[in-house]
Amino acid sequence: MSQIKRVAIVGGTHGNELTGVYLVKKFQQYPNLINRPSWETLLLLGNLKAIAQRKRYIDKDLNRCFSKENLQNSNFLNYEDTRAQEIKQILQPQNQPFVDVIIDLHSTTANMGLTLIFCDMHPFLLRLAAYLTSINSLVKVYINPQSKQGGFLRSVCELGFVIEVGAVAQNVLNAELFQQTEQLIYAILEYFTWYNQGHIPQINNNLTFYEYIGTIDYPRDEQGEIQAMIHPQVQFRDYEPLNPGEPIFRTFADTDILYEGVSTVYPIFINEAAYYEKGIAMHLTQKQQKIV
Amino acid sequence: MSQIKRVAIVGGTHGNELTGVYLVKKFQQYPNLINRPSWETLLLLGNLKAIAQRKRYIDKDLNRCFSKENLQNSNFLNYEDTRAQEIKQILQPQNQPFVDVIIDLHSTTANMGLTLIFCDMHPFLLRLAAYLTSINSLVKVYINPQSKQGGFLRSVCELGFVIEVGAVAQNVLNAELFQQTEQLIYAILEYFTWYNQGHIPQINNNLTFYEYIGTIDYPRDEQGEIQAMIHPQVQFRDYEPLNPGEPIFRTFADTDILYEGVSTVYPIFINEAAYYEKGIAMHLTQKQQKIV
């Protein structure tokens, strides 16, 4: 990639994640905040119907509809499949190249601060992350190669990534997190400007990141009903170490369930509201370092 | 009232407020936790369809459907109106008196700790509140006489009240708040036992409570779209004083909106997710004291 020519900033891929929705609306109202001379910025609200109804989605999770297969399927079955195809066309109008970058704005009830989620270890993204983590200690980096296959919006573009902010409740705007996210976006755009101008700042090039290992579900009975809650010692402790033998769940019968893994892990997405139905109580990650 | 004979504990009047839903499910599984010899306890899940769909409600807010007029209307228009009539019948089976007490379990994204919400200054409830606040500093008392007219479940019973716990996101179980709510329920049941036995403990009878003054909406444009967020200095500061001239909102244009009242107020329900659509950014209250 020689130059960044088009950047898409997307909010409301999930309709009840208001930080992204209102950041995009703010940028639409004050475009000078994100317009830069050396590229074109595209602002986009993802799941329009879900935003209007204050829901994550109408028929199915839009952020699982961007698989190649799905995007080529002409038998539209529901709103989100249709909307995913519309979004793809907006990101790549006929006879034009695809956008170079997608910044997909999400929020979570987990205490994940300002997390960058990447599908892979693309050197450009790793260096961007090293810069952002060096100027803001709230920034964390999560690499989840699984999400390359899952039909996520970020996966349709080589430099697609998510900014996942929390903890914030669904359908709530938290001004502090909103402003932190806004400042992070400006820092990203500044980095892109430097990149296009050919002079990236000197940074600490030792990047700490967290890599996907797997997910853990809540303990459930045969009917699928949950039998335990995230343990108080784990709640809001995203990115902190969880060691074998430490409590992970507290059952409704008031007993503790211990983590039975063989090594220390770093849970994230702990108690994300939208993941109960996906069978995910948390993601487990391993902490890594890399010179980028 | 000579004796308490029947107590109803209701969870899931709003389907996405999981603390109450799972406390009722826990008590259904372990009834000895709440059964007491001197009265009958009724356990009830309120909005069954909304609980199943992880939503606040299906067609309309169930907790606004309990007006006398609504309960006598035989032209059922939607699920919640029907369900409100069913619940009334469960609380008062034919030829039996109404339940003496309703404990309606709610949760909020506002930082309201363990709030008791009463419709009026019933002496029994005030003394109960004085006892509970004396043993647990997280317990707050909110008196909202407006809620007598609004069709709230708590209004159908002289000793109906809400336990409103937060901050917790919708569709999330927070184990710590869950356990605090559970312990509060046990303390309430213990108090009822003492009452029925005729010996209430000596308590500090000086009750601090917060009385409804009114509500404030978010600043909005002509289309009803919000133009500002709860100010970071106000967020999560439920029950703390807000003085005239102090910031209350932060606009998307990055300016502060100041509180223009004439006297100090104590906001609660600050940034409750479900109240955006009701046009409520917060309730304003005045702090009061009373010998009970």
Side-chain angles (χ1 to χ4, degrees):
Chain A
M1 184 184 60
S2 52
Q3 288 266 300
I4 292 169
K5 296 190 193 74
R6 289 170 73 229
V7 174
I9 302 178
V10 185
T13 302
H14 296 132
N16 57 8
E17 296 178 4
L18 300 194
T19 311
V21 172
Y22 282 92
L23 275 168
V24 167
K25 287 185 177 183
K26 173 174 182 162
F27 296 147
Q28 286 173 333
Q29 197 175 355
Y30 308 102
N32 289 341
L33 291 172
I34 43 92
N35 284 342
R36 300 289 181 274
S38 81
W39 72 82
E40 180 194 355
T41 307
L42 198 71
L43 292 168
L44 186 63
L45 290 172
N47 197 324
L48 298 172
K49 276 196 185 177
I51 293 168
Q53 295 184 33
R54 301 178 66 78
K55 293 161 71 169
R56 182 175 173 91
Y57 57 81
I58 303 296
D59 297 313
K60 61 189 280 202
D61 191 334
L62 175 62
N63 204 27
R64 304 295 183 275
C65 294
F66 290 90
S67 66
K68 261 192 191 146
E69 193 183 43
N70 225 46
L71 290 171
Q72 286 163 356
N73 184 352
S74 56
N75 301 313
F76 301 147
L77 292 173
N78 59 54
Y79 174 67
E80 276 81 9
D81 285 327
T82 315
R83 182 64 184 152
Q85 300 198 353
E86 286 172 6
I87 289 173
K88 175 144 187 291
Q89 287 192 331
I90 294 168
L91 299 178
Q92 181 174 33
Q94 241 169 351
N95 304 321
Q96 286 199 39
F98 211 79
V99 293
D100 299 301
V101 177
I102 297 172
I103 307 176
D104 189 18
L105 304 174
H106 287 256
S107 64
T108 172
T109 60
N111 189 23
M112 287 172 65
L114 303 172
T115 293
L116 305 170
I117 306 181
F118 299 155
C119 297
D120 59 28
M121 310 264 282
H122 193 293
F124 178 89
L125 293 178
L126 294 186
R127 284 192 293 266
L128 169 66
Y131 168 68
L132 297 170
T133 53
S134 73
I135 61 168
N136 186 342
S137 63
L138 288 174
V139 176
K140 297 272 191 273
V141 182
Y142 175 37
I143 295 177
N144 183 353
Q146 294 292 106
S147 58
K148 256 196 163 159
Q149 276 79 50
F152 294 80
L153 171 57
R154 60 182 176 270
S155 69
V156 302
C157 168
E158 199 184 11
L159 300 184
F161 62 93
V162 158
I163 302 179
E164 184 81 64
V165 305
V168 60
Q170 295 175 339
N171 282 319
V172 159
L173 269 172
N174 178 300
E176 197 175 357
L177 272 175
F178 181 94
Q179 292 174 326
Q180 287 168 352
T181 311
E182 186 181 353
Q183 293 306 316
L184 181 62
I185 291 169
Y186 298 151
I188 291 168
L189 299 185
E190 189 166 38
Y191 187 92
F192 291 168
T193 298
W194 292 330
Y195 175 82
N196 275 1
Q197 293 171 347
H199 50 82
I200 298 290
Q202 289 292 326
I203 52 160
N204 178 354
N205 61 357
N206 191 358
L207 176 69
T208 297
F209 61 93
Y210 297 81
E211 195 172 10
Y212 175 86
I213 301 173
T215 62
I216 290 189
D217 192 10
Y218 298 88
R220 297 182 190 258
D221 67 11
E222 285 168 2
Q223 284 76 46
E225 181 65 271
I226 63 168
Q227 299 299 299
M229 300 172 278
I230 297 292
H231 196 278
Q233 285 181 35
V234 176
Q235 178 66 34
F236 294 131
R237 303 273 172 82
D238 300 75
Y239 293 111
E240 293 187 25
L242 174 69
N243 298 303
E246 288 179 350
I248 182 166
F249 296 109
R250 165 84 42 93
T251 73
F252 295 123
D254 296 319
T255 57
D256 287 354
I257 294 176
L258 308 181
Y259 175 58
E260 291 182 343
V262 291
S263 61
T264 300
V265 291
Y266 294 80
I268 63 172
F269 278 119
I270 298 169
N271 215 353
E272 159 54 34
Y275 287 179
Y276 280 69
E277 69 176 18
K278 292 184 195 290
I280 296 173
M282 64 188 72
H283 284 207
L284 300 185
T285 75
Q286 51 188 337
K287 192 176 184 176
Q288 308 265 24
Q289 285 201 322
K290 185 178 166 72
I291 306 296
V292 299
Chain B
M1 184 184 59
S2 53
Q3 289 267 298
I4 291 168
K5 294 189 194 75
R6 289 170 73 229
V7 174
I9 302 177
V10 185
T13 301
H14 296 133
N16 57 8
E17 296 177 5
L18 299 195
T19 312
V21 172
Y22 282 92
L23 274 169
V24 166
K25 287 185 177 183
K26 173 173 182 163
F27 296 148
Q28 286 173 334
Q29 198 176 352
Y30 307 101
N32 288 343
L33 292 171
I34 42 94
N35 284 342
R36 300 290 180 275
S38 81
W39 72 81
E40 179 193 356
T41 307
L42 198 71
L43 291 168
L44 186 63
L45 290 172
N47 196 325
L48 298 172
K49 276 196 184 177
I51 294 168
Q53 294 184 35
R54 302 178 67 79
K55 293 163 70 170
R56 181 176 174 91
Y57 57 80
I58 304 297
D59 297 313
K60 60 190 280 201
D61 190 334
L62 175 62
N63 204 27
R64 304 295 184 274
C65 295
F66 289 91
S67 66
K68 263 193 188 143
E69 194 182 41
N70 225 47
L71 291 171
Q72 285 162 359
N73 184 353
S74 55
N75 302 312
F76 302 147
L77 292 173
N78 58 55
Y79 174 67
E80 275 82 7
D81 285 327
T82 315
R83 182 63 185 153
Q85 299 198 353
E86 287 172 7
I87 289 172
K88 177 147 186 289
Q89 286 191 334
I90 294 168
L91 298 177
Q92 181 176 33
Q94 240 171 353
N95 305 320
Q96 285 200 39
F98 211 80
V99 291
D100 299 301
V101 177
I102 297 172
I103 306 175
D104 188 19
L105 304 175
H106 289 255
S107 65
T108 171
T109 59
N111 189 22
M112 287 172 66
L114 304 172
T115 293
L116 305 170
I117 306 180
F118 300 156
C119 297
D120 60 27
M121 310 264 282
H122 193 294
F124 177 89
L125 293 178
L126 294 187
R127 284 193 293 266
L128 169 66
Y131 168 68
L132 296 171
T133 54
S134 74
I135 61 169
N136 185 343
S137 63
L138 286 175
V139 177
K140 296 274 192 274
V141 182
Y142 176 37
I143 296 178
N144 183 354
Q146 295 293 107
S147 59
K148 257 196 160 155
Q149 275 80 50
F152 293 80
L153 171 58
R154 59 182 177 270
S155 69
V156 301
C157 168
E158 200 184 10
L159 300 184
F161 63 93
V162 157
I163 302 178
E164 185 81 63
V165 305
V168 61
Q170 295 175 340
N171 282 320
V172 159
L173 269 173
N174 178 301
E176 197 175 357
L177 272 175
F178 181 95
Q179 293 175 325
Q180 287 168 351
T181 311
E182 185 181 356
Q183 294 305 317
L184 181 62
I185 292 169
Y186 298 150
I188 292 168
L189 300 185
E190 187 166 39
Y191 187 92
F192 292 168
T193 298
W194 291 331
Y195 175 82
N196 275 1
Q197 293 171 348
H199 52 81
I200 298 291
Q202 289 292 326
I203 52 160
N204 178 355
N205 60 357
N206 191 358
L207 177 68
T208 297
F209 62 94
Y210 297 81
E211 194 172 10
Y212 174 87
I213 301 174
T215 62
I216 290 188
D217 192 11
Y218 298 88
R220 296 183 190 259
D221 67 12
E222 284 168 2
Q223 285 75 46
E225 181 64 271
I226 63 168
Q227 299 299 300
M229 300 173 277
I230 298 292
H231 196 278
Q233 287 181 34
V234 177
Q235 179 66 35
F236 294 131
R237 301 273 172 83
D238 300 75
Y239 295 111
E240 292 187 27
L242 175 69
N243 298 304
E246 288 179 351
I248 183 167
F249 295 109
R250 166 84 44 90
T251 73
F252 295 123
D254 295 320
T255 58
D256 286 354
I257 294 176
L258 308 181
Y259 175 58
E260 292 182 342
V262 292
S263 63
T264 300
V265 291
Y266 295 79
I268 63 173
F269 278 120
I270 298 168
N271 216 354
E272 159 55 34
Y275 287 0
Y276 281 68
E277 68 175 19
K278 293 184 195 290
I280 297 173
M282 64 188 72
H283 284 206
L284 300 185
T285 75
Q286 50 188 336
K287 190 175 184 177
Q288 308 266 22
Q289 285 202 320
K290 185 180 167 69
I291 306 296
V292 299

